[in-house]
Amino acid sequence: MKVAIIGCTHAGISAMNECLKYYPDAEITVYERHADISYLSCATYLHIGGDVKDLGDVFYANPEEFTKKGVHMRMQHDVIKIDAQAHTILAQNLKTREFLHDKYDKLIVATGSRTSIPVIAGIENPKIMLCKTCNQAHQLSAASKNNHKIAVLGGGYAGVELAEGFVKSGHEVVLFQKNDQLLDEYVDATISERVKKLLEDNHVTVLTSTNVTRFSDTKDGHLKISTEDDTEYIADMVAICPGVLPQSDLLKGQVNIAKNGAIITNAYMQTSDPDIFAAGDVTEIQYNPTLTSKYIPLASHAVRQGTLAGMNLFKRRRKSMGSQATSGMLLFGQTIACTGLTLNAAKDANYDAHHVYFESNYRPDFMPTNTKINIELVYDRKSRRILGAQFMSSHEVAQSANTVSVIIQNNNTIDDLAYVDMLFSPNFDEPFNYLNLVAQKAIDKELDYWGMD
């Protein structure tokens, strides 16, 4: 049995591990463009901010350990063509420029994503840099040492985190967001405004509803940033944090692909070609809150999908459970976490959606220290199902987002969450945990709405 894996970041590594576990007799060959594997892109802002001293420390796997296990690790090899009908691969060694032909019985495509470069005049300027790969992280970090005023383009997770990293390293930072709120894909307006204020309180200039239209050099060697409303800003360099697109070109016309370019798989990570599997940023995932497929490129998804692809390669062992797109970040000491749908997204999905906002100390007032916890809970009025939740607090609330993720996965209602059994200790919470309390607030709101007593 010959297994080929194309791409060796999170999905590829997970797939390889499962192949080794479940199919020890398989001959595994891995093709990877880069010399290293397993870079975590979140390390970029952590390195710039000083939390990670050496980017080399964030690699959690290396090619040598898999070579010792018998895997043929073809590093710095670029796959040029896949012939699904013939079960062949054409690749080029990027060091020697030699071409290599190979055959496979089963193929796992984990080619990931590429940065979606925005169409802005002057974006090819060398002062404008990306932040996705390890090489880009090194370049960004090195360039920032000689530049003080830095502009960050993009108000999603990557842009917000990078703004924090540059502030911590002593830079003056301005953050541009085209849309009217930060983190607009993840949180609703109330939490977004709190995030914006947190950034501003830490000396980040935040410009929402600001569309950058041009970059140009100034006579004194700086960079001029022009916006749609004819305002101009000056910076020393720019970090671009746009979205990403699936890298599925190798399989176009050979397997079913969504309109956005993502490879479509079944719950076992198998494509429309039974001998080809796909995982990670190159695929879509079943999004449970709307029961539809959706492109959600997260490292957590890549690891799970790669694991499933590897274990299901020759025998169907386990289906994907889908996703609630649960994610989080730590920003200037505040945990921001979310799962499921925002209120706007729920309404766009044609739910009769409503929400409650809950703010309270996370534990009894008699405790020597305390802190506020902020929760936005989104639910469907007809079914009373919980659709999403967002959290923000200096208290650790990331695991609460994980709890609500399970609640959404299991189609639980506000009534279920209001009274589900949770531990009580004054060290941790009130007799009713804050998740119980926010759901009880939703029940009370519905009673008021329907005029019940």
Side-chain angles (χ1 to χ4, degrees):
M1 299 184 296
K2 293 193 68 172
V3 175
I5 301 173
I6 303 175
C8 196
T9 309
H10 313 307
I13 291 169
S14 298
M16 188 169 23
N17 281 324
E18 296 305 299
C19 284
L20 288 166
K21 181 193 302 184
Y22 286 102
Y23 312 108
D25 296 329
E27 180 186 341
I28 304 170
T29 303
V30 172
Y31 292 89
E32 169 56 46
R33 288 177 179 172
H34 299 97
D36 298 306
I37 60 176
S38 77
Y39 179 67
L40 291 162
S41 57
C42 57
T44 301
Y45 85 93
L46 292 171
H47 175 61
I48 288 170
D51 293 316
V52 173
K53 302 302 180 186
D54 186 347
L55 280 174
D57 294 339
V58 305
F59 290 95
Y60 59 87
N62 63 73
E64 290 75 22
E65 65 183 272
F66 292 106
T67 299
K68 291 177 181 177
K69 295 177 181 179
V71 179
H72 305 294
M73 297 295 293
R74 289 183 173 150
M75 307 302 297
Q76 294 180 272
H77 278 69
D78 185 24
V79 174
I80 298 169
K81 182 180 179 181
I82 296 170
D83 187 328
Q85 187 171 0
H87 286 56
T88 59
I89 291 170
L90 173 64
Q92 184 179 32
N93 185 321
L94 296 177
K95 292 186 292 185
T96 66
R97 299 298 174 184
E98 293 178 327
F99 290 96
L100 180 150
H101 296 268
D102 199 3
K103 292 186 68 69
Y104 66 85
D105 296 307
K106 296 287 185 179
L107 172 66
I108 298 175
V109 176
T111 44
S113 58
R114 65 180 184 274
T115 303
S116 175
I117 306 294
V119 181
I120 301 173
I123 200 166
E124 70 283 355
N125 192 303
K127 297 186 184 73
I128 301 168
M129 311 182 78
L130 300 175
C131 59
K132 189 175 190 291
T133 68
C134 186
N135 286 338
Q136 289 168 353
H138 279 295
Q139 294 165 4
L140 196 63
S141 179
S144 68
K145 288 179 171 56
N146 301 315
N147 293 287
H148 176 66
K149 188 168 185 178
I150 297 177
V152 177
L153 199 65
Y157 272 157
V160 168
E161 289 173 330
L162 201 56
E164 180 196 28
F166 281 125
V167 165
K168 285 184 173 180
S169 59
H171 292 85
E172 183 181 346
V173 181
V174 56
L175 175 62
F176 292 88
Q177 168 70 330
K178 182 178 181 180
N179 299 326
D180 60 0
Q181 69 173 61
L182 299 175
L183 306 177
D184 54 309
E185 293 186 13
Y186 307 98
V187 300
D188 284 304
T190 303
I191 297 288
S192 178
E193 281 302 311
R194 295 184 72 92
V195 172
K196 182 179 179 182
K197 186 177 185 305
L198 179 62
L199 288 165
E200 291 173 338
D201 288 346
N202 285 275
H203 313 296
V204 177
T205 300
V206 181
L207 301 171
T208 53
S209 301
T210 304
N211 187 22
V212 174
T213 56
R214 178 178 293 275
F215 300 104
S216 55
D217 287 314
T218 64
K219 292 179 180 180
D220 56 358
H222 297 292
L223 191 65
K224 183 167 67 176
I225 303 166
S226 304
T227 62
E228 196 169 48
D229 62 359
D230 295 325
T231 306
E232 295 178 348
Y233 301 87
I234 301 298
D236 297 317
M237 60 178 283
V238 176
I240 300 284
C241 302
V244 296
L245 298 171
Q247 291 195 115
S248 58
D249 294 354
L250 288 169
L251 287 179
K252 281 185 178 176
Q254 303 189 85
V255 300
N256 291 341
I257 291 177
K259 289 181 179 178
N260 66 352
I263 296 172
I264 298 171
T265 71
N266 61 19
Y268 298 95
M269 307 316 301
Q270 187 178 43
T271 71
S272 56
D273 183 319
D275 292 329
I276 300 178
F277 290 66
D281 285 8
V282 74
T283 67
E284 290 192 332
I285 194 166
Q286 175 72 16
Y287 186 49
N288 292 324
T290 56
L291 300 178
T292 58
S293 292
K294 188 175 179 181
Y295 186 60
I296 310 173
L298 292 172
S300 54
H301 292 166
V303 169
R304 286 167 178 76
Q305 289 179 323
T307 298
L308 291 170
M311 71 168 61
N312 292 324
L313 205 52
F314 292 95
K315 180 181 178 181
R316 290 188 169 185
R317 299 176 184 273
R318 185 171 182 83
K319 290 183 177 181
S320 168
M321 296 175 69
S323 169
Q324 288 69 249
T326 309
S327 59
M329 65 190 300
L330 186 65
L331 185 70
F332 294 113
Q334 294 271 329
T335 298
I336 300 142
C338 63
T339 186
L341 292 166
T342 62
L343 178 65
N344 289 334
K347 289 180 176 179
D348 288 344
N350 296 317
Y351 283 108
D352 183 12
H354 210 201
H355 67 130
V356 288
Y357 188 79
F358 176 84
E359 181 177 10
S360 179
N361 286 334
Y362 79 95
R363 63 182 185 174
D365 292 339
F366 60 74
M367 295 301 288
T369 61
N370 223 324
T371 190
K372 295 290 184 184
I373 191 166
N374 300 272
I375 308 173
E376 177 119 358
L377 187 71
V378 181
Y379 60 94
D380 177 46
R381 276 189 153 153
K382 291 180 180 177
S383 66
R384 299 172 76 89
R385 273 181 52 215
I386 291 172
L387 301 175
Q390 302 144 43
F391 301 82
M392 185 171 178
S393 178
S394 57
H395 180 59
E396 204 288 317
V397 288
Q399 296 310 314
S400 294
N402 283 334
T403 299
V404 178
S405 175
V406 176
I407 291 287
I408 299 170
Q409 178 93 47
N410 292 335
N411 294 316
N412 290 126
T413 64
I414 53 176
D415 309 280
D416 297 327
L417 182 58
Y419 298 105
V420 69
D421 178 42
M422 294 189 181
L423 69 84
F424 163 61
S425 165
N427 293 296
F428 306 118
D429 58 2
E430 300 276 5
F432 275 118
N433 182 271
Y434 38 84
L435 289 180
N436 299 132
L437 293 173
V438 68
Q440 289 172 21
K441 186 172 181 179
I443 291 172
D444 291 344
K445 189 167 188 175
E446 290 306 295
L447 287 174
D448 291 341
Y449 178 78
W450 294 109
M452 299 178 183
D453 51 37

